[in-house]
Amino acid sequence: MASPPPPPPEVVVNNRFLGFLIWQSITSSAIFILFKTFVLSPLAKTNTNLSLSLFAFLNFHLSHLLFSASIFMLSSPQPYSPASPLQLAAAFLRFLFVSGDSFSSHDFRRRANLSLRFLVFVVATAISGFLSLTCVCAFDRLRSFGFGVGLVYAFFYIFKQRWVLEFPIIQRPPFYSFKMRFPLAIKQALKLSCTAYLFSAMLLVFVPYQFKSYVTMRKFIGEQINLLFGSFSVFLCWELSHNLHQVLHTKRFVFAPPKGSAAAETNPSEPLLAALEESVPGSLPQSLAYLDLSMVCENNVDTWRRAAFFEETGETYKRVVAVCLRPLEQLPSTLGEGFETNSADKAYQQSNQLQSQSDLQLDQKYYEPLNNFQQCAWCARAVAALTARSHEEDRFGVAQLSGSNAAVISTLISCLIAVESLMGKKTNVQTPHQLMGPAGIKWATLNTGRRDLLVTKKKSGPIHPKAYAMADVLRTSIYSIVSAFHYEMLASDKAGLLEKDWLICGKPLFGTNELLLQKLRLFLDFRAS
């Protein structure tokens, strides 16, 4: 009997969402029973009614089902920036009174969609907080705090960008990953519950009738303790749901038929390539496919799948290289357009004293291409590892015959030069008498008169951390290829064929051919840093 093919990427995500709902219902049930039975009910000194307890239990589950659905709707592998309310209002007015193409831009539609999801998440979390606190708190006056608890957590969740899916560097079993996050969830829930307790205490202390008698004072203290434990149980459920969502949706999925099946013998790479080529750009299914590709190229776990990339026709290898280079090619192109616009702005070149509004807009514009950092890092590492592995595993020479090696080296170096220019460096092609040894490139800041001030401003902004990380990934990727083909590259350089053999003939994505050649020689001498 033939083995069934792997499910489509969308089915994988939906199955994980269903599994997430099941497991979060188990955790929330355990927390509700524990706190309601042993903590909150004894504090309130109320008689337990079975029908009311069952209704509260179902209502509690409904509230957390709403919260779980909202974080799944909001989550994204990439930290896109939303559209501001002013931008949405301006676009809506243009749509009504000026023209009907205000929402035609794909980038604006994506940002507007994210803003709408933010609004839905805030409303859903506020409702979930009200329902949850109503179920766990026995005092009527405390139930109105549920809306405030939900709003505080929603704004905290958005401000900290916890809706962005963070893929772990080391893939561990889901239970172990969730267990490692459990103490952090308790700590975060305790911080949030103590904050909610302090705010409620400060609010209620201004109500004069709270201190008229000893009985009222005792009731006030009981309400505050009840609110502290009730809000802690709600925050803990939310934190555990968030951690469970991160663990289950960032787990690696193998886009391959079962080993030994007929599909594994004929075309084992087709499910992975289909997921990479047909998924929505920037979506979770595509991110899972890039993660699987990176692990296949870098590790020796599924060597039979990597060997299938080097099949005799070379079509599979060219498709794999193409899907890896596609996100990398967008990075220097977008940054190059930004540099051209920036060079035309004379005011920017002369305004290094203060961080003006135009600087903030420029930083945001430069920050957008680096939002795709995780995917670009996977692509750079995967294509570099595959190119380096081809030195030993490519029996048919498809990597060299297809010209993919030159395309990979040129793209990676162009990306590196563009990112380093964004970090505050400027490349200058040096004449032979200016070279020091084999180095053929000299770095200088954009403004030599105020070097320290410029670098400090770059490091303190939101761009520098991701640009620095991206440059580090690119250097490591280029060095892995150079180390594998070091002897061949040195021979080509001595024969004067280094540019012909390892760089593309046309115009590169960023810089010039001379600049790329000098940078490649720096890597050959292990002096690129």
Side-chain angles (χ1 to χ4, degrees):
M1 182 181 295
S3 301
E10 293 77 11
V11 177
V12 174
V13 175
N14 293 334
N15 292 339
R16 290 188 175 185
F17 176 61
L18 293 177
F20 161 65
L21 293 181
I22 295 173
W23 283 106
Q24 72 86 24
S25 64
I26 296 175
T27 57
S28 60
S29 299
I31 293 174
F32 178 83
I33 295 174
L34 177 64
F35 278 83
K36 189 69 175 178
T37 305
F38 299 102
V39 180
L40 298 173
S41 294
L43 283 175
K45 296 181 180 180
T46 57
N47 295 326
T48 303
N49 190 312
L50 182 59
S51 59
L52 292 179
S53 298
L54 181 60
F55 177 75
F57 178 76
L58 295 177
N59 206 8
F60 190 82
H61 268 296
L62 178 62
S63 66
H64 284 278
L65 178 64
L66 178 63
F67 175 78
S68 301
S70 64
I71 62 173
F72 175 76
M73 175 267 305
L74 182 62
S75 63
S76 172
Q78 300 178 13
Y80 294 119
S81 58
S84 64
L86 185 61
Q87 292 174 337
L88 292 175
F92 184 72
L93 291 177
R94 286 197 304 268
F95 176 78
L96 292 178
F97 301 105
V98 180
S99 62
D101 58 350
S102 300
F103 300 95
S104 59
S105 173
H106 173 72
D107 179 69
F108 183 78
R109 288 200 308 269
R110 174 179 53 79
R111 296 175 61 192
N113 183 34
L114 181 59
S115 300
L116 180 61
R117 285 186 290 162
F118 278 168
L119 179 61
V120 173
F121 174 75
V122 170
V123 174
T125 308
I127 297 175
S128 177
F130 172 76
L131 294 176
S132 300
L133 211 61
T134 301
C135 296
V136 297
C137 288
F139 296 97
D140 296 334
R141 186 162 43 194
L142 297 180
R143 295 169 183 173
S144 59
F145 285 103
F147 282 111
V149 168
L151 289 176
V152 168
Y153 189 83
F155 287 118
F156 168 78
Y157 197 87
I158 294 174
F159 178 74
K160 291 294 185 178
Q161 288 192 341
R162 306 185 74 192
W163 49 275
V164 181
L165 294 173
E166 298 178 357
F167 291 83
I169 299 176
I170 300 176
Q171 290 283 326
R172 298 184 176 93
F175 177 76
Y176 181 79
S177 300
F178 181 72
K179 184 181 68 173
M180 296 296 293
R181 290 170 176 258
F182 189 78
L184 298 177
I186 296 178
K187 182 179 178 180
Q188 189 63 52
L190 185 60
K191 289 181 179 179
L192 293 172
S193 60
C194 290
T195 303
Y197 169 78
L198 291 177
F199 275 108
S200 64
M202 292 175 60
L203 179 64
L204 293 177
V205 79
F206 293 102
V207 181
Y209 64 83
Q210 293 288 340
F211 302 98
K212 289 184 179 180
S213 64
Y214 174 76
V215 177
T216 306
M217 182 64 180
R218 185 173 59 183
K219 183 180 179 181
F220 170 74
I221 296 176
E223 287 179 353
Q224 294 305 108
I225 297 177
N226 193 276
L227 176 62
L228 176 62
F229 285 102
S231 60
F232 175 76
S233 64
V234 174
F235 284 133
L236 182 59
C237 285
W238 287 346
E239 283 294 308
L240 292 180
S241 297
H242 162 71
N243 291 332
L244 188 63
H245 180 269
Q246 288 276 345
V247 168
L248 293 181
H249 286 84
T250 57
K251 183 181 64 173
R252 180 197 177 190
F253 180 80
V254 179
F255 291 89
K259 190 175 181 179
S261 62
E265 298 293 335
T266 56
N267 195 1
S269 305
E270 187 58 32
L272 177 60
L273 291 173
L276 291 168
E277 296 171 348
E278 299 174 6
S279 299
V280 178
S283 62
L284 178 58
Q286 190 183 62
S287 298
L288 292 174
Y290 274 115
L291 173 62
D292 185 42
L293 174 63
S294 177
M295 298 191 71
V296 170
C297 295
E298 292 184 286
N299 303 326
N300 288 326
V301 178
D302 297 326
T303 54
W304 63 278
R305 295 180 59 193
R306 188 171 64 236
F309 294 158
F310 302 104
E311 50 90 17
E312 187 174 2
T313 62
E315 292 300 322
T316 303
Y317 186 84
K318 287 190 289 186
R319 290 175 65 186
V320 172
V321 172
V323 296
C324 289
L325 294 184
R326 190 178 302 122
L328 295 174
E329 291 171 351
Q330 296 175 359
L331 180 61
S333 301
T334 307
L335 293 179
E337 295 175 0
F339 291 145
E340 291 177 0
T341 305
N342 185 24
S343 62
D345 189 2
K346 301 298 181 182
Y348 173 78
Q349 297 179 2
Q350 301 174 358
S351 60
N352 288 328
Q353 292 286 349
L354 298 175
Q355 184 80 358
S356 63
Q357 184 66 25
S358 61
D359 295 333
L360 294 175
Q361 294 175 356
L362 184 67
D363 285 351
Q364 182 65 24
K365 179 178 63 177
Y366 281 158
Y367 183 74
E368 286 295 332
L370 295 176
N371 278 337
N372 209 12
F373 164 74
Q374 181 64 83
Q375 190 179 93
C376 289
W378 281 331
C379 292
R381 288 161 43 192
V383 74
L386 194 62
T387 304
R389 299 275 188 179
S390 67
H391 187 267
E392 301 292 337
E393 301 178 8
D394 187 7
R395 298 177 299 170
F396 303 104
V398 296
Q400 183 178 2
L401 295 177
S402 62
S404 299
N405 290 347
V408 169
I409 289 290
S410 300
T411 303
L412 292 178
I413 295 180
S414 297
C415 290
L416 179 60
I417 296 175
V419 172
E420 288 182 335
S421 299
L422 178 64
M423 295 166 58
K425 298 178 180 179
K426 182 179 179 181
T427 53
N428 293 324
V429 179
Q430 302 300 306
T431 56
H433 69 276
Q434 293 176 312
L435 303 180
M436 295 180 294
I441 195 167
K442 181 180 179 181
W443 296 102
T445 57
L446 291 174
N447 191 335
T448 56
R450 296 177 180 176
R451 178 176 179 178
D452 297 336
L453 179 61
L454 181 62
V455 173
T456 302
K457 189 176 93 170
K458 290 286 183 182
K459 288 186 178 181
S460 61
I463 307 171
H464 191 272
K466 282 194 174 182
Y468 183 85
M470 192 69 233
D472 186 59
V473 170
L474 291 170
R475 290 193 200 97
T476 305
S477 301
I478 297 173
Y479 268 127
S480 64
I481 301 176
V482 170
S483 299
F485 291 93
H486 193 251
Y487 178 79
E488 289 83 353
M489 287 185 175
L490 287 179
S492 298
D493 192 22
K494 290 180 181 179
L497 301 175
L498 183 63
E499 182 179 5
K500 179 181 178 182
D501 293 341
W502 291 96
L503 295 176
I504 59 175
C505 299
K507 187 179 183 303
L509 298 171
F510 191 89
T512 61
N513 292 326
E514 294 80 6
L515 190 60
L516 265 65
L517 180 61
Q518 289 182 0
K519 189 68 173 175
L520 179 57
R521 283 173 176 159
L522 278 180
F523 278 98
L524 279 176
D525 296 321
F526 298 97
R527 298 182 58 183
S529 59

